[in-house]
Amino acid sequence: MEQTIKTLFNPVKIGRYTAKNRIFMAPMSRYRALEGGIPSATTVEYYRQRATAGIIMAESTQINKGAGGINCPGIYTEEQVASWKKVTEAVHQEGGRIFLQLWHSGRASHSSILAEGFEVVAPSAIASKDQVMTYDGMQSPTMPRGLTLEEIQELRSDFVRANRNAMEAGFDGVEIHAAGGFLIDTFLQEATNQRTDAYGGSLENRYRFLEEVMNDTVEIWGADRVGIKLSPTSTYNTMGAGDVLKTFSYVISKLNTYKLAFLEVNEEMPFTTLAAEKRAILNELQQSWEGAYIANGNYTATTGAKRIEEGKATAISYGRFFIANPDLPERFKQNSPMNELDPHTFYGGDHKGYTDYPSLAEETAL
């Protein structure tokens, strides 16, 4: 192992757990759930193969039937819980830890992919300009309908049910998805939240829905088994306008009071380079966070280790590297070549590009 990346292999305390390394698996939608949002047997194998990660963040998982996304898993039925149990058992048998990311797409969705009786909803009727994936290819998202106060409380209840189901399914904890221009993120940011009631306007009001979700989640799990994901400077799903430093300084100051297991921040989108002024914002926000900070976004072994050594991250979450390399920590350790990534199999399909990437041990056996 190269000395420059040694820090990646130091155990680290994350909430109530000690992660065996600082190479975490980022949550990544793979769109391979069976009908009814049920994880398949192939999904069990997919996560089992990657159990050497310090912690696995399982993919965006729907809190209710109208949360959006094609072939995305859910955590709102008994059948889904039973299937997820097989995943958590497989990961635990391999000595791994796995958190579930709880998610609602909000306005980043299309009416054609929602269950009957559900609509595309958001804090305000403001559409995203970024296309979304549908069964008929990429399309412009449906104009969302602004949520009623009653519906906001129903969504809060859906998060409660999802949390309890995730616990029943054997997960080690949960990550609340408040990033990416999805539902919670659009409550937080002023450009997407133009409500004039208790959930809009002031920073306090825009934070209110997340606060309610976090209060419920922490009550169910305990703060040391709860994490959250933010993306303050990302423009994905037409986000990032307005004074994001002011907004997220406030959000982080409030989140600090919980003493959560971690904050994961999507710092940079794949195949992009973050502008210097946005990096400065992220650095300021990172310094204001008082707990474990997981950095995500285009990191290599070397740059990830450097980020940790500089005191600007506790761990690094890797996405694409983990897709193509189920034994990523071992490959980092041995400085071995990475498997070639096939972007055509990122989303949907069967085992190809999902569970058929070889480990180093399998390559040696050939």
Side-chain angles (χ1 to χ4, degrees), residues 282-299:
L282 288 179
N283 285 339
E284 186 169 339
L285 292 173
Q286 180 270 320
Q287 290 168 19
S288 69
W289 175 246
E290 297 172 359
Y293 180 96
I294 302 171
N296 169 261
N298 296 325
Y299 284 99

Side-chain angles (χ1 to χ4, degrees), residues 4-8 22 232-233 252 263-268 274-276 278-289 293-318:
T4 54
I5 67 166
K6 189 175 180 181
T7 188
L8 287 175
R22 300 173 188 236
T233 60
I252 287 175
L263 163 66
E264 181 184 18
V265 175
N266 174 228
E267 298 180 342
E268 196 170 76
L274 195 66
K278 288 192 173 184
R279 176 62 70 181
I281 290 172
L282 288 179
N283 285 339
E284 186 169 339
L285 292 173
Q286 180 270 320
Q287 290 168 19
S288 69
W289 175 246
Y293 180 96
I294 302 171
N296 169 261
N298 296 325
Y299 284 99
T300 64
T302 302
T303 59
K306 182 180 179 183
R307 182 88 170 160
I308 294 170
E309 288 167 0
E310 290 174 344
K312 295 180 179 178
T314 307
I316 309 295
S317 62
Y318 294 91

Side-chain angles (χ1 to χ4, degrees), residues 107 122-128 142-146 186 190-194:
R107 71 175 189 164
S124 303
I126 302 170
S128 168
T142 301
M143 170 66 76
R145 177 177 59 75
T186 56
E190 57 193 317
T192 49
N193 184 345
Q194 296 184 2

Side-chain angles (χ1 to χ4, degrees), residues 161-362:
R161 177 183 58 185
N163 272 295
R164 289 175 176 157
N165 285 349
M167 181 175 286
E168 184 182 343
F171 284 94
D172 296 298
V174 292
E175 177 183 73
I176 299 300
H177 198 336
F182 299 116
L183 181 67
I184 294 176
D185 196 17
T186 56
F187 268 97
L188 297 175
Q189 299 200 42
E190 57 193 317
T192 49
N193 184 345
Q194 296 184 2
R195 302 179 70 93
T196 56
D197 57 18
Y199 291 91
S202 66
L203 283 167
E204 180 183 11
N205 285 355
R206 283 186 274 129
Y207 173 72
R208 190 180 308 279
F209 181 59
L210 175 56
E211 182 175 42
E212 291 173 343
V213 170
M214 294 306 296
N215 287 344
D216 294 336
T217 302
V218 167
E219 182 177 350
I220 291 166
W221 288 94
D224 58 356
R225 290 194 287 176
V226 175
I228 187 166
K229 186 169 187 177
L230 300 175
S231 57
T233 60
S234 174
T235 59
Y236 184 62
N237 284 323
T238 323
M239 298 300 290
D243 193 342
V244 295
L245 178 58
K246 181 179 179 181
T247 293
F248 286 95
S249 292
Y250 178 84
V251 170
I252 287 175
S253 72
K254 300 296 286 186
L255 291 172
N256 272 330
T257 64
Y258 292 105
K259 310 301 180 187
L260 299 174
F262 63 85
L263 163 66
E264 181 184 18
V265 175
N266 174 228
E267 298 180 342
E268 196 170 76
M269 292 299 292
F271 313 111
T272 67
T273 301
L274 195 66
E277 61 270 21
K278 288 192 173 184
R279 176 62 70 181
I281 290 172
L282 288 179
N283 285 339
E284 186 169 339
L285 292 173
Q286 180 270 320
Q287 290 168 19
S288 69
W289 175 246
E290 297 172 359
Y293 180 96
I294 302 171
N296 169 261
N298 296 325
Y299 284 99
T300 64
T302 302
T303 59
K306 182 180 179 183
R307 182 88 170 160
I308 294 170
E309 288 167 0
E310 290 174 344
K312 295 180 179 178
T314 307
I316 309 295
S317 62
Y318 294 91
R320 286 164 292 155
F321 276 152
F322 259 118
I323 288 178
N325 304 278
D327 57 344
L328 183 63
E330 188 62 27
R331 286 181 185 268
F332 278 172
K333 185 179 290 186
Q334 296 190 28
N335 194 27
S336 299
M338 298 290 164
N339 290 322
E340 185 176 353
L341 187 64
D342 180 7
H344 299 101
T345 57
F346 277 5
Y347 306 116
D350 51 22
H351 71 285
K352 187 176 181 182
Y354 193 47
T355 57
D356 62 345
Y357 285 108
S359 64
L360 284 172
E362 289 169 335

Side-chain angles (χ1 to χ4, degrees), residues 105-119:
S105 64
R107 71 175 189 164
S109 189
H110 194 275
S111 58
S112 68
I113 66 176
L114 297 184
E116 186 176 351
F118 287 88
E119 300 176 77

